[in-house]
């Protein structure tokens, strides 16, 4: 029998057309085009079933439902859950309503999340940091007291600091789906909700370490690595070992000759490709335990890749756009030829400061 | 005399017992439906009646029923949403405690029409005594052969289960209710899939309000056309209104849709006017989640016509000058009510009841409450009013379930219509924080 090829659906995202298989979500279709149009995702995690729809960071506007029914959808939709239809037109970064909603989401997420990136263990790998960098504002309008918590030790390996938690539910889904005995969940409601084990209990199973990898912020941290180093001072290397429990395919984070941390391998969207066991993650910290494959390719995201592998992978983003918007050329009335200052060619700024080159209105 | 559909026999002594209810013509609709009608015919009658969901959203009930997926070999469920808990709404509670058999009769007919063999009544946990009343009524109906196996010899089986909820407002949202009924944390589900396709235990499910289900026996007895003849335009039939606040006769009233709001408040038949010596100030027409209206807009439309008690008339003018019929929680305020304090109070409720699943609602409801609290207690800043409007806009429409909208609308509408009152609180914190201080226009004092 001949294989019947599923009919591909055409979807236009920010004016770029892409063909995807039926059942693909808008977020997946946008990721297929590339990071420039991919909506941010704080709670959606592709390997975890049932994740998504909670953080509302990936809201997009559907300007036309499908070719058959081209009516726009009345509200913004969560792109991580909405399946594409043939002829759908989606506005992501091009719609002011979407941009405004995302500004709002960043503001909401940062109401209770402390901006302590300089002392947070997740800095450099934090999804919220990237999200806030792209869509946030420089000031806050929140004047009230922020909620704080004591740190919880969830066993010998994992530490929970609820102050930083944004309740994405990813760790709950992870524990639910890849381990037998889930002992933690969400307690309480509204902004009093928290991740907890009800009675102070350790998360004790072979795959418990994976909750650290899926946490988008620094709420769940690796006790064997906490504050040993900043992530950008270490060098990620792909490695594997013959592990009886898991696939054994990991990324080693090396500082000099020393392995300071082991994590699962992640794809360019910061999602774990294969979950790894605690033995690989916490106990095998010698280079001799591993077969080294080569340097990890970090194709996107955060300062890990900045100035190290490919500087151009970081798009001129919020900070630079802000600088461009507030850029004021200095009026120097002196005769520069006398001062022997060489003018930099304007093209040097074109990438970073596009508006600086615009003629004055 | 206005037509009474649900409350016709409500004052008959002992109506909560099977025998009295039966003597008043109860359960004849079950006999008629099960013995002489097909399920399709019942759905058709309900469609013809044009009855709209009485839980608040006002979605046509017949259409909702016709959306139910009917795959082979998969059970279907009917769930009755009796988790009524919106501030100002208490009509379902009243109906269930006084005439429980009306709901049970409706459940039997609706379950038969939808092909459900097991149906649930999800009652708010606080109403434990109502649960006992319902369970007693179910036992009576079962003893008389109207429930259980082979009902009235027609071969139709139905088991009716009363499930107490944990007492969370969010569990009144249909998908959160289903989660709760399945024994999980009551978090709303993302839609699609809608419950009509994947609901309770991943099976096709219809969730209806108590009042909606209770109307079905009248519709079966009298026909959909007779029901559609009552009411006005697309708002057919009667509606229970739970009237409260500064009126002379608070209570639950059954009205034909289309009664002018002015008559409803001031006529002796219903609310009997504002309490003596006071003036009508504002109205929340459909439970605390709908936008609040000042007196002039509550009584007249923007074009000068009288505003009527119907879905269309109340929502006339959108949210700029209109509101919603909602669940019929009719709250009347006179001039002694402080709108800021009232808005803070509503906001406090939504903050407490947010499930915390999606970020705009989790963080936003708390933020609004805190800002309102600050204004009410004399610590507001000038920019706080605009901040509240902006935060409510960022919540509205961006959440998983309508609780976000429900939290945002009262705040946004209160500022829209009573901005000067908020301004007064900010400008005159010393006066505004006096006990019982209320802004009264120019006088602006107690």
């Amino acid at each position: 029998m001949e294989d019947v090829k599923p009919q591909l659906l055409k979807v236009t995202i920010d004016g770029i057309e892409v063909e995807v298989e039926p059942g693909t979500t808008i977020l997946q279709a946008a990721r297929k085009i590339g990071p420039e149009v991919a909506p941010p995702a704080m709670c959606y995690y592709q390997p975890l079933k049932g994740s998504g729809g909670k953080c509302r960071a990936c809201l997009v506007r559907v300007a036309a439902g499908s070719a058959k029914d081209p009516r726009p959808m009345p509200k913004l939709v969560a792109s991580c859950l909405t399946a594409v239809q043939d002829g759908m037109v989606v506005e992501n970064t091009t719609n002011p309503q979407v941009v405004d909603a995302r500004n709002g989401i960043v503001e909401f997420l940062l109401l209770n999340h402390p901006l302590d990136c300089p002392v947070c263990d997740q800095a450099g790998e934090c999804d919220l940091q990237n999200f806030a960098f792209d869509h946030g504002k420089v000031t806050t309008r929140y004047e009230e007291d922020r909620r704080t918590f004591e740190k919880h030790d969830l066993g010998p390996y994992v530490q929970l600091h609820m102050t930083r938690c944004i309740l994405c539910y990813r760790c709950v889904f992870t524990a639910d789906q890849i381990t037998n005995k889930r002992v933690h969940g969400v307690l309480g409601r509204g902004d009093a909700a928290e991740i907890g084990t009800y009675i102070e209990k350790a998360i004790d199973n072979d795959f418990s370490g994976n909750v650290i990898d899926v946490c988008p912020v620094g709420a769940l941290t690796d006790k064997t690595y906490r504050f040993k180093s900043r992530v950008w001072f270490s060098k990620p290397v792909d490695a594997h070992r013959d592990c009886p429990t898991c696939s054994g395919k990991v990324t080693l984070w090396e500082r000099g000759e020393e392995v300071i941390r082991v994590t699962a391998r992640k794809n360019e969207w910061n999602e774990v490709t294969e979950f790894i066991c605690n033995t690989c993650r916490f106990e095998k910290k010698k280079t001799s335990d591993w077969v080294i494959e080569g340097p990890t390719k970090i194709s996107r995201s955060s300062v890990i890749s900045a100035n190290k592998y490919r500087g151009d992978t970081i798009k001129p983003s919020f900070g630079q756009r802000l600088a461009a918007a507030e850029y004021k050329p200095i009026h120097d009335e002196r005769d520069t030829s006398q001062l022997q200052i060489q003018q930099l060619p304007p093209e040097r700024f074109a990438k970073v400061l596009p508006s600086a080159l615009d003629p004055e209105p | 005399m206005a037509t009474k559909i649900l409350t016709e026999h409500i004052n008959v002594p002992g109506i909560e017992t099977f025998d009295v209810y039966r003597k008043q013509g109860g359960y004849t609709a079950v006999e008629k439906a099960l013995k002489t009608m097909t399920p399709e015919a019942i759905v058709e009658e309900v469609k013809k009646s044009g009855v709209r969901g009485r839980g608040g959203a006002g979605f046509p009930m017949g259409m909702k029923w016709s959306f139910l997926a009917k795959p082979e070999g998969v059970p279907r469920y009917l769930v009755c949403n009796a988790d009524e808990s919106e501030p100002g709404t208490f009509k379902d509670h009243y109906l269930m405690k006084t005439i429980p058999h009306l709901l049970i009769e409706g459940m039997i007919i609706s379950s038969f029409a939808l092909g459900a063999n097991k149906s649930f009544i999800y009652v708010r946990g606080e109403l434990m005594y109502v649960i006992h009343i319902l369970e007693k009524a179910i036992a009576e109906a079962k003893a008389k052969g109207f429930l259980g196996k082979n009902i009235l010899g027609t071969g139709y089986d139905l088991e009716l289960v009363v499930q107490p909820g944990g007492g969370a407002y969010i569990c009144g949202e249909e998908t959160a209710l289903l989660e709760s009924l399945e024994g999980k944390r009551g978090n709303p589900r993302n839609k699609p899939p809608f419950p009509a396709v994947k609901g309770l235990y991943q099976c096709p499910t219809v969730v209806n309000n108590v009042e909606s289900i209770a109307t079905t026996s009248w519709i079966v007895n009298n026909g959909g056309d007779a029901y559609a003849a009552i009411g006005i335009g697309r708002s057919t039939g009667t509606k229970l209104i739970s009237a409260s606040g500064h009126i002379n006769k608070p209570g639950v009233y059954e009205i034909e849709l289309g009664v002018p709001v002015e008559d409803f408040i001031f006529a002796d038949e219903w609310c009997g006017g504002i309490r003596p010596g006071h003036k009508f100030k504002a109205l929340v027409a459909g439970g605390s989640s709908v936008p609040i209206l000042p007196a002039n807009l509550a009584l007249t439309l923007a074009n000068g016509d009288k505003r009527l008690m119907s879905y269309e008339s109340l929502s006339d003018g959108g949210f700029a000058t209109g509101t919603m019929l909602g669940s019929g929680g009719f709250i009347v305020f006179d001039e002694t009510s402080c709108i800021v304090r009232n808005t803070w109070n509503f906001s406090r409720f939504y903050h407490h009841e947010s499930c915390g699943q999606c970020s705009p609602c989790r963080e936003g409801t708390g933020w609004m409450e805190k800002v309102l609290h600050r204004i009410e207690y004399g610590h507001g800043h000038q920019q706080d009013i605009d901040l509240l409007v902006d935060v409510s806009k960022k919540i509205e429409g961006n959440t998983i379930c309508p609780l976000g909208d429900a939290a945002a609308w009262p705040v946004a509408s209160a500022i829209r219509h009573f901005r000067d009152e908020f301004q007064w609180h900010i400008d005159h914190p010393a006066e505004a924080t006096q006990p019982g201080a209320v802004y009264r226009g120019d006088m602006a004092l107690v």
Side-chain angles (χ1 to χ4, degrees):
Chain A
M1 219 175 100
E2 214 175 315
D3 278 352
V4 185
K5 256 194 164 177
Q7 207 197 341
L8 293 177
L9 309 175
K10 271 186 192 161
V11 52
T12 313
I13 300 170
D14 285 350
I16 305 166
E17 199 179 83
V18 65
E19 284 196 332
V20 292
E21 285 173 9
T24 313
T25 59
I26 297 174
L27 185 90
Q28 288 301 335
R31 283 183 173 184
K32 214 175 156 186
I33 298 173
E36 291 300 318
V37 298
M42 301 300 300
C43 65
Y44 175 78
Y45 208 71
Q46 203 194 354
L48 300 175
K49 257 173 75 183
S51 68
K54 293 177 169 52
C55 66
R56 317 306 280 176
C58 67
L59 291 176
V60 292
R61 179 164 163 75
V62 177
S66 65
K68 273 185 203 156
D69 181 9
R71 286 176 302 173
M73 290 189 184
K75 286 182 183 178
L76 301 183
V77 297
S79 61
C80 61
L81 293 169
T82 313
V84 296
Q85 284 175 309
D86 196 32
M88 189 182 256
V89 180
V90 178
E91 292 171 352
N92 177 29
T93 55
T94 53
N95 188 305
Q97 197 191 348
V98 174
V99 174
D100 191 45
R102 282 196 194 142
N103 286 342
I105 303 293
V106 173
E107 197 171 18
F108 287 137
L109 288 176
L110 293 180
L111 284 194
N112 282 313
H113 181 96
L115 279 181
D116 59 354
C117 310
V119 298
C120 175
D121 209 44
Q122 188 86 356
E125 302 178 299
C126 176
D127 290 353
L128 183 57
Q129 195 179 26
N130 297 344
F131 182 34
F133 192 65
D134 281 346
H135 297 279
K137 291 196 182 109
V138 280
T139 54
T140 179
R141 299 181 288 176
Y142 191 69
E143 297 174 15
E144 275 68 31
D145 288 344
R146 286 158 163 84
R147 63 177 198 164
T148 49
F149 293 86
E150 293 293 312
K151 293 183 187 76
H152 288 296
D153 282 334
L154 304 175
Y157 297 127
V158 188
Q159 186 160 75
L160 167 66
H161 200 182
M162 255 311 293
T163 306
R164 298 202 177 98
C165 178
I166 57 163
L167 286 165
C168 67
Y169 287 61
R170 276 183 189 175
C171 61
V172 181
F173 283 120
T174 311
D176 212 18
Q177 288 169 25
I178 67 170
T179 65
N180 291 328
K181 286 181 286 176
R182 171 162 74 84
V183 294
H184 78 292
V186 179
L187 316 173
R189 316 194 265 245
D191 57 6
E194 58 174 295
I195 297 286
T197 51
Y198 198 56
I199 37 178
E200 294 279 307
K201 204 172 174 180
I203 298 181
D204 181 24
N205 59 59
D206 275 353
F207 284 81
S208 65
N210 289 297
V211 297
I212 302 163
D213 273 349
V214 299
C215 185
V217 291
L220 289 158
T221 44
D222 179 348
K223 280 171 90 175
T224 64
Y225 172 72
R226 270 172 77 84
F227 303 117
K228 273 197 174 170
S229 170
R230 306 306 303 195
V231 65
W232 52 88
F233 293 139
S234 49
K235 183 178 75 173
V237 182
D238 280 352
H240 67 264
R241 71 180 266 269
D242 191 15
C243 177
T245 328
C246 67
S247 69
K249 290 179 183 167
V250 299
T251 299
L252 306 181
W253 297 77
E254 292 182 335
R255 189 173 56 190
E257 291 297 299
E258 184 194 7
V259 176
I260 53 171
R261 179 171 70 153
V262 184
T263 65
R265 290 185 197 173
K266 293 187 176 182
N267 64 13
E268 65 168 319
W269 309 106
N270 229 355
E271 287 166 351
V272 166
T273 46
E274 278 169 275
F275 293 105
I276 59 165
C277 69
N278 281 2
T279 318
C280 288
R281 183 187 301 271
F282 298 117
E283 285 164 23
K284 303 291 172 189
K285 295 233 171 140
K286 279 189 218 135
T287 323
S288 57
D289 293 331
W290 299 94
V291 181
I292 306 290
E293 291 170 19
T296 306
K297 260 190 200 163
I298 291 178
S299 50
R300 188 181 156 259
S301 133
S302 94
V303 290
I304 307 173
S305 55
N307 309 323
K308 203 169 202 176
Y309 301 101
R310 287 172 55 201
D312 60 334
T313 50
I314 287 200
K315 52 187 175 186
S317 194
F318 174 72
Q320 287 148 319
R321 273 187 277 126
L322 186 77
E326 294 182 350
Y327 174 74
K328 287 193 194 95
I330 300 163
H331 291 292
D332 193 345
E333 286 169 0
R334 290 171 295 179
D335 186 359
T336 45
S337 60
Q338 294 291 309
L339 296 169
Q340 297 190 328
I341 295 171
Q342 210 177 351
Q343 288 280 339
L344 286 173
E347 298 84 56
R348 283 283 295 275
F349 298 109
K351 246 186 175 173
V352 176
L353 302 172
S355 72
L357 297 175
D358 291 345
E360 292 274 308
Chain B
M1 188 66 192
T3 318
K4 293 270 194 287
I5 288 177
L6 301 163
T7 56
E8 194 183 348
H9 305 295
I10 211 144
N11 292 325
V12 177
I15 192 72
E16 70 278 3
T17 60
F18 182 87
D19 295 333
V20 177
Y21 182 74
R22 182 87 172 129
K23 221 173 268 172
Q24 298 295 331
Y27 286 103
T28 46
V30 172
E31 287 174 38
K32 184 179 174 188
L34 266 61
K35 288 181 178 165
T36 65
M37 292 172 87
T38 60
E40 292 75 28
I42 301 173
V43 175
E44 207 46 49
E45 285 301 320
V46 172
K47 261 190 187 170
K48 257 194 244 167
S49 75
V51 57
R52 294 168 68 168
R54 301 298 195 217
F59 191 78
M61 187 166 151
M63 204 188 280
K64 192 176 197 174
W65 284 13
S66 61
F67 287 156
L68 186 72
K70 290 173 181 166
E72 281 292 310
V74 177
R76 278 165 258 163
Y77 294 106
L78 171 70
V79 178
C80 172
N81 184 348
D83 191 80
E84 177 183 57
S85 49
E86 181 133 316
T89 310
F90 43 87
K91 49 156 184 117
D92 291 346
H93 168 199
Y94 173 72
L95 200 66
M96 286 188 293
K97 78 163 189 186
T98 43
I99 183 160
H101 284 285
L102 189 68
L103 173 63
I104 291 160
E105 189 178 3
M107 285 298 284
I108 299 168
I109 297 164
S110 311
S111 303
F112 176 68
L114 297 166
N117 293 106
K118 187 163 188 172
S119 298
F120 296 87
I121 306 175
Y122 184 93
V123 189
R124 189 167 178 74
E126 277 93 330
L127 308 180
M128 211 60 212
Y129 77 104
V130 173
I131 294 169
H132 295 318
I133 291 172
L134 282 175
E135 277 175 345
K136 193 165 159 249
I138 287 172
E140 280 179 323
K142 202 166 188 173
K144 301 285 180 183
F146 284 92
L147 272 174
K149 295 258 175 224
N150 194 12
I151 297 170
L152 304 176
T154 55
Y156 175 64
D157 305 336
L158 176 67
E159 194 187 339
L160 206 52
V161 179
V162 180
Q163 173 64 44
Y169 172 67
I170 187 62
C171 292
E173 200 274 338
E174 62 173 0
T175 54
L177 188 152
L178 296 177
E179 286 280 298
S180 172
L181 200 52
E182 288 179 9
K184 299 179 202 154
R185 191 183 150 88
N187 281 353
R189 295 176 186 170
N190 285 294
K191 291 189 262 187
F194 287 91
V197 182
K198 274 186 181 174
L200 188 63
Y201 309 123
Q202 300 290 305
C203 297
T205 304
V206 166
V207 183
N208 274 142
N209 180 255
V210 172
E211 195 189 340
S212 323
I213 291 177
T215 53
T216 50
S217 52
W218 196 90
I219 293 170
V220 165
N221 270 334
N222 298 278
D225 291 329
Y227 191 87
I230 309 167
I232 182 167
R234 282 175 57 228
S235 306
T236 59
T238 64
K239 172 98 185 75
L240 289 180
I241 302 286
S242 41
S244 61
H246 298 140
I247 43 175
N248 285 323
K249 288 162 59 191
V252 178
Y253 297 99
E254 182 169 13
I255 56 158
E256 283 184 33
L257 286 167
V259 173
V261 175
E262 192 172 350
D263 291 4
F264 186 72
I265 298 175
F266 293 101
D268 281 340
E269 193 184 342
W270 297 300
C271 303
I274 309 293
R275 60 180 180 161
H278 291 282
K279 275 192 318 201
F280 178 33
K281 179 179 184 180
L283 169 72
V284 170
S288 70
S289 64
V290 307
I292 190 169
L293 284 182
N296 58 334
L297 284 174
L299 302 179
T300 51
L301 302 177
N303 63 10
D305 291 351
K306 274 190 173 181
R307 201 180 277 279
L308 311 177
M309 298 287 285
S310 74
Y311 290 96
E312 288 79 21
S313 181
L314 279 170
S315 60
D316 187 83
F319 286 164
T321 58
T323 178
M324 287 160 79
L325 180 60
S327 58
F330 198 85
I331 315 172
V332 179
F333 301 97
D334 69 17
E335 84 288 355
T336 59
S337 323
C338 172
I339 298 294
V340 178
R341 189 167 190 87
N342 173 60
T343 311
W344 169 59
N345 209 15
F346 282 167
S347 205
R348 206 153 59 97
F349 174 78
Y350 292 108
H351 173 209
H352 183 258
E353 295 296 338
S354 165
C355 80
Q357 196 183 191
C358 60
S359 32
C361 177
R362 181 182 66 233
E363 307 290 353
T365 50
W367 191 4
M368 286 199 299
E369 195 236 300
K370 285 169 191 159
V371 174
L372 282 164
H373 178 269
R374 213 167 59 202
I375 296 175
E376 166 65 21
Y377 285 94
H379 304 292
H381 317 310
Q382 183 52 49
Q383 62 269 31
D384 280 350
I385 301 178
D386 290 329
L387 173 69
L388 279 174
V389 175
D390 194 52
V391 172
S392 71
K393 266 189 203 155
K394 296 242 160 90
I395 300 173
E396 188 187 334
N398 292 345
T399 49
I400 296 177
C401 79
L403 194 138
D405 300 348
W409 289 336
V411 177
S413 61
I415 295 176
R416 190 183 305 125
H417 298 303
F418 298 95
R419 196 180 177 108
D420 46 350
E421 202 160 330
F422 285 84
Q423 191 63 53
W424 179 70
H425 269 79
I426 288 166
D427 292 343
H428 303 91
E431 287 103 314
T433 45
Q434 297 288 323
V438 179
Y439 173 71
R440 295 183 189 177
D442 298 334
M443 301 187 308
L445 206 55
V446 188

